[in-house]
Amino acid sequence: AISGQLFLETAAKYFIVTGEAPVVAIGNRRFPPTALRLVSPGDISPTQDPEFGWPASWFVTGPTLRGVYVASREGAGATWENGPLRTLRVVRSFSTKDASLMRGQSKLYSAASEIKQQIEGGRFNVALMKNGARPSLLVSTKQSLGREAFEEFRRRLKQDFEGADNAGKMMVAQGGELWAQSLSANIRDMEYSESQTRTAQTIAKVLKVPVVLLNMDAATFSNMETATLALWDDAILPMANYLLGDMGDWLFPLFDLDPAEWRLAPDVSRVGALQNRTIKLLRERAASGLESINEIRESMPGREPKDGGDEILVS
């Protein structure tokens, strides 16, 4: 079992990376579930319904909850059942494939090429740094050596002169004749920070993360405050409302609640940045003289009318 906070965090990560957050409800489907369990999107695979095109069933692998989940009669195309005590719901985003009937699609799909380039570029540069940030020196003997002598010569060169720890070490040879040529890479080959910045900016734009949050050198208190609010308004809250809204539509009927009247949503009153903005807006509404105190309190959850609060007072 995991806590509610870890459950939501894991669901959000699954959704960001794959565009899917599979959830299994445990318990008799005629009653509220006793537990909710997340399934990794990599552990599920669908079979398509030949008539409607949506998944007729899901095959779930992995350490737990494995089995075949067949489309339920009540929620065809929305829920799938594995016996009387397990119900699968796949919260997913729109996909450009199969008219979005089968699988979800991550927003990172549009930045896949940049991400792949960054991964391969990172591997390349790590290899360069392991080799002293340059290819090894080309060393050749004037005379041909026997196999054993050649292997011993190469081993000693690699041991004494290869790698970042040996960078700049003077090479000393004894006897015989050697020919050596430097094959060091141009310094431009190591300048990949610019590529990293472009990739980070591409991912940030796809996920609607303000780019100013990635560049602390240009950050000021004012634009950081604005960027933080934009992060909540454009990225975090829309995704949270999407995930929670889908699960609410599924779970509320099990608790005899009408989804048209009830909504599962994040508690923004606990977010410091949003709370400060709310207080500022409330003060502006009160100072405008267009609303009474009770009208303002009515828009706030848990606030009762105040005696004498129906009169509009203007300074």
Side-chain angles (χ1 to χ4, degrees), residues 98-312:
D98 302 317
S100 194
L101 291 175
M102 292 289 289
R103 303 298 300 259
Q105 180 175 293
S106 170
K107 291 182 179 180
L108 293 174
Y109 181 79
S110 59
S113 60
E114 287 85 355
I115 295 174
K116 289 180 181 178
Q117 289 178 21
Q118 186 60 39
I119 293 174
E120 294 302 323
R123 290 175 179 171
F124 174 80
N125 284 287
V126 167
L128 275 181
M129 287 185 286
K130 285 183 177 179
N131 292 312
R134 61 181 181 273
S136 301
L137 188 71
L138 176 60
V139 179
S140 176
T141 60
K142 294 292 185 180
Q143 297 179 352
S144 178
L145 301 177
R147 181 176 181 83
E148 292 185 2
F150 174 76
E151 290 296 334
E152 176 64 16
F153 176 69
R154 186 173 66 172
R155 185 189 67 79
R156 290 297 301 274
L157 280 177
K158 290 171 66 69
Q159 174 182 316
D160 296 340
F161 304 105
E162 186 180 69
D165 292 339
N166 294 319
K169 184 182 289 187
M170 182 179 293
M171 181 176 179
V172 181
Q174 174 180 312
E177 297 183 8
L178 291 177
W179 173 79
Q181 178 180 351
S182 176
L183 297 179
S184 52
N186 189 285
I187 193 65
R188 291 287 299 175
D189 295 336
M190 289 291 294
E191 294 179 357
Y192 58 97
S193 60
E194 190 174 325
S195 173
Q196 285 182 315
T197 300
R198 288 197 302 267
T199 302
Q201 290 176 348
T202 300
I203 296 174
K205 290 178 181 179
V206 168
L207 297 179
K208 296 185 178 180
V209 176
V211 179
V212 68
L213 296 178
L214 306 180
N215 184 11
M216 299 305 296
D217 294 336
T220 65
F221 180 80
S222 178
N223 62 20
M224 283 293 291
E225 184 179 19
T226 303
T228 302
L229 290 174
L231 175 66
W232 279 96
D233 290 339
D234 300 334
I236 299 176
L237 290 180
M239 183 185 65
N241 286 323
Y242 191 98
L243 283 172
L244 296 176
D246 193 297
M247 284 193 280
D249 291 342
W250 167 42
L251 295 174
F252 279 151
L254 301 178
F255 290 87
D256 293 327
L257 298 175
D258 186 358
E261 299 179 0
W262 294 85
R263 184 168 64 96
L264 192 61
D267 183 7
V268 296
S269 65
R270 301 176 61 183
V271 181
L274 301 180
Q275 191 175 23
N276 292 335
R277 181 175 63 179
T278 301
I279 293 174
K280 182 179 178 180
L281 292 175
L282 290 174
R283 287 175 176 171
E284 291 177 354
R285 290 173 60 184
S288 68
L290 299 176
E291 298 175 277
S292 67
I293 294 298
N294 282 346
E295 287 176 321
I296 297 175
R297 292 173 66 89
E298 187 179 0
S299 64
M300 304 169 62
R303 298 290 182 175
E304 298 293 334
K306 184 179 179 181
D307 292 340
D310 294 324
E311 182 180 0
I312 298 178

Side-chain angles (χ1 to χ4, degrees), residues 89-100:
R89 173 85 167 197
V90 182
V91 181
R92 58 189 182 88
S93 64
F94 175 80
S95 172
T96 57
K97 302 177 182 178
D98 302 317
S100 194

